[in-house]
Amino acid sequence: MPTPPEEAGVQAALARAFAALRMAREEGAELVASERGRVTAVTSGIVRVAGLPGVGAEELVAFPHGAFGLALDLGRDEVGVALLDARAPIAAGDEATRTGRVADVPVGDGVLGRVIDPLGRPLDGGGPLAALRRWPIERPAPAILDRAPVIEPLQTGIKVIDALIPIGRGQRELILGDRQTGKTAIALATILNQPDDVACVYCAIGQRGAAVARVVAVLREHGALERTAVVVAADEDAPGLRFVAPYAATAIAEFFMEAGRPALIVYDDLTRHARAYRELALLLRRPPGREAYPGDVFHIHARLLERATRLRPERGGGSLTALPIAETEAGNLATYVPTNLISITDGQIVLATAQFQLGQLPAVDVGLSVSRVGGQAQLPAYHAITGDLKLAHAQFEELELFARFGTRVDDETRRRLAHGRRLRQVLAQAERATMPVVEQIAVLDALVAGLFDDVPEARMEAAELQVRLAAAALPPAARQALLDASIASGDALRGLRAAADAALIPFRAPG
């Protein structure tokens, strides 16, 4: 019986394929199996792919023109892939190929001083990265037994934070506030105030290009860009790229922590990150929950922020401090994403719109802000002078509100109001005008001791500067004594107070 033409053609094709395989094997070629599928549908940032039965969750999928996507939705017949390049010209019928690997990013000292996207592609025109290796963007958080207590301070250079809301190395401190209240300014000041041994990572999520350019310019102007890696997923980028950005930035920072160095990472901001994930989830037709966010929005931030910690000496003793930023609306802290982040982090710095509008900068709401672990790492000198400062600030605000009604007050209340106004002036600080620790301690000690009470309010700025100069002029041994962990008070503070008192004599003179 003759063989049908169609079957004969198939047999001939198989024979040619087997002959090619035998020839390749004889020549020593390595044979690699690949799994390929076809794009069946394309939407905004999401493509549907059929024919990839073995693809894994969050595996990279390659498309034509060098584009990549992240497999997020594993269906029986199709895979939902989040594109990592919004400008990729992908159409239905295009080929999609499994890569067999997850998304990764270059890590190492070569990343410092560079501006890159979450996949490690340079955005600053500085040429290829001189990175040591590539790490996956998703890594398990350190085990509980590998973690050490937070006992070392991370100085921000901002008086109100270092004194009243201290941050320790390895802590996760949330920065909350409405738009344009100075959240990024606080994070930037913290980066600028770090010593050279602290590796910093600034992750911009969904920011405009002009805003990112201003941040890079500030870092470059103050000489901090050389020790900072800037990871950018701009507002115009694909939502998939914005979603993976903080994980990639954390992998970069974790490299330095694993190497035994202190690292600092700023996420600016996680509200936009949650919105990008919500956009992906809705496009993937996942069921929406509160405020249309998917049910696992808490999990994506918890698994991210749990990677920030301080390692035990046996693991190198490195640390990763996280400063996530979240945006509120009309000062409402009870919305979904802020409440999630408050429950995950170790404290929050809340910025008040009313204080910002009055020019009281930084606009930190001392009453609502808290640090749950940083007090254990705070220098003892701060403990000795700022123990009752937060309570005094709260009492002053109540008295000031009471006095606005025109109520007659006695001399004691008038004195406390005058002291409170000087307290507010001392806690005020210009943007990026960070202050060394010894000078902070000198100014705060003079305030608590009442040395500023006889100084006219109009001359407070000059008086504070004079106290700072007196502290800077102390002998090196006296300055070091104030930083010594074994000294909480005593001769070091008494000598500092005497120097500040002498510096303020001209400001108490009549006229």
Side-chain angles (χ1 to χ4, degrees):
M1 182 176 179
T3 303
E6 295 83 358
E7 187 175 340
V10 171
Q11 292 177 352
L14 288 174
R16 289 194 297 270
F18 282 121
L21 287 175
R22 283 194 300 270
M23 185 178 298
R25 188 176 298 149
E26 291 171 0
E27 294 176 355
E30 183 181 356
L31 302 180
V32 179
S34 65
E35 194 173 302
R36 300 173 185 271
R38 291 289 174 184
V39 175
T40 59
V42 181
T43 57
S44 178
I46 296 290
V47 297
R48 292 282 176 179
V49 179
L52 297 179
V55 71
E58 299 188 358
E59 180 180 339
L60 278 180
V61 178
F63 296 96
H65 312 290
F68 288 94
L70 202 64
L72 293 181
D73 192 41
L74 306 184
R76 176 178 297 178
D77 302 317
E78 290 184 337
V79 178
V81 180
L83 287 177
L84 300 181
D85 191 346
R87 293 170 290 275
I90 298 175
D94 284 351
E95 189 177 78
T97 308
R98 284 189 59 192
T99 63
R101 62 186 181 91
V102 296
D104 53 24
V105 66
V107 297
D109 289 328
V111 182
L112 298 179
R114 302 300 302 273
V115 182
I116 61 175
D117 75 355
L119 298 181
R121 296 174 293 198
L123 301 176
D124 53 5
L129 295 176
L132 296 178
R133 66 193 79 168
R134 295 185 75 93
W135 277 16
I137 65 172
E138 289 272 15
R139 304 179 73 245
I144 296 296
L145 295 179
D146 291 333
R147 300 176 182 233
V150 176
I151 58 173
E152 190 175 356
L154 183 135
Q155 300 295 147
T156 66
I158 302 172
K159 289 173 288 185
V160 64
I161 295 178
D162 291 341
L164 304 181
I165 320 153
I167 302 173
R169 290 184 175 180
Q171 186 174 346
R172 300 156 297 181
E173 185 77 5
L174 178 64
I175 302 176
L176 276 170
D178 290 358
R179 293 183 68 252
Q180 302 296 322
T181 52
K183 302 185 296 296
T184 303
I186 287 179
L188 268 182
T190 305
I191 292 177
L192 299 180
N193 195 61
Q194 299 312 302
D196 291 339
D197 66 323
V198 179
C200 302
V201 180
Y202 176 82
C203 180
I205 309 167
Q207 304 288 335
R208 298 189 306 274
V212 177
R214 284 195 296 270
V215 170
V216 173
V218 169
L219 294 173
R220 182 178 289 111
E221 178 186 351
H222 290 80
L225 187 60
E226 290 77 9
R227 51 180 171 80
T228 305
V230 181
V231 181
V232 180
D235 187 37
E236 62 270 15
D237 286 329
L241 197 66
R242 282 179 271 145
F243 169 65
V244 303
Y247 302 100
T250 305
I252 294 173
E254 279 179 322
F255 171 84
F256 298 103
M257 177 181 70
E258 296 283 352
R261 292 178 58 182
L264 169 67
I265 186 168
V266 173
Y267 304 106
D268 193 6
D269 63 47
L270 291 187
T271 304
R272 296 175 188 267
H273 178 249
R275 290 171 185 164
Y277 186 62
R278 177 174 61 180
E279 182 179 348
L280 289 174
L282 293 175
L283 289 169
L284 291 169
R285 300 184 181 276
R286 293 180 179 175
R290 179 180 168 187
E291 298 181 21
Y293 287 105
D296 61 341
V297 69
F298 178 92
H299 173 254
I300 67 169
H301 287 155
R303 77 174 192 249
L304 170 71
L305 294 172
E306 278 297 314
R307 294 161 68 178
T309 186
R310 178 171 174 265
L311 298 177
R312 297 177 59 187
E314 294 82 358
R315 285 286 309 276
S319 66
L320 174 54
T321 308
L323 294 182
I325 296 174
E327 184 180 301
T328 58
E329 295 182 3
N332 184 9
L333 304 182
T335 52
Y336 193 29
V337 173
T339 51
N340 282 345
L341 291 170
I342 287 172
S343 65
I344 295 170
T345 51
D346 306 314
Q348 64 274 351
I349 298 170
V350 180
L351 303 183
T353 305
Q355 288 183 218
F356 186 86
Q357 292 172 345
L358 292 173
Q360 300 172 12
L361 303 178
V364 176
D365 190 322
V366 176
L368 294 178
S369 302
V370 64
S371 177
R372 298 187 182 95
V373 298
Q376 303 172 15
Q378 194 176 31
L379 292 174
Y382 282 103
H383 285 295
I385 61 179
T386 64
D388 298 327
L389 202 57
K390 201 167 188 177
L391 177 61
H393 188 276
Q395 291 175 340
F396 160 66
E397 288 187 331
E398 290 183 2
L399 281 176
E400 188 180 41
L401 182 63
F402 179 73
R404 285 176 184 169
F405 293 103
T407 308
R408 295 180 62 183
V409 296
D410 56 22
D411 291 341
E412 174 62 19
T413 303
R414 194 176 295 109
R415 185 192 64 78
R416 291 171 63 183
L417 285 171
H419 180 76
R421 284 192 288 269
R422 285 156 180 80
L423 166 61
R424 184 164 56 196
Q425 285 183 273
V426 165
L427 293 182
Q429 198 165 340
E431 185 177 351
R432 297 192 292 274
T434 57
M435 189 179 296
V437 175
V438 173
E439 296 180 19
Q440 286 190 40
I441 294 173
V443 172
L444 293 170
D445 181 64
L447 171 71
V448 172
L451 302 184
F452 286 116
D453 289 356
D454 295 330
V455 177
E457 291 184 40
R459 305 188 67 188
M460 276 293 298
E461 186 175 352
E464 180 181 341
L465 177 60
Q466 202 61 35
V467 171
R468 292 180 57 187
L469 293 174
L474 289 175
R479 292 200 302 271
Q480 184 59 40
L482 292 166
L483 304 177
D484 193 336
S486 65
I487 296 177
S489 59
D491 294 340
L493 278 178
R494 280 194 290 270
L496 181 65
R497 185 174 300 178
D501 193 18
L504 290 175
I505 290 176
F507 296 93
R508 300 194 191 100

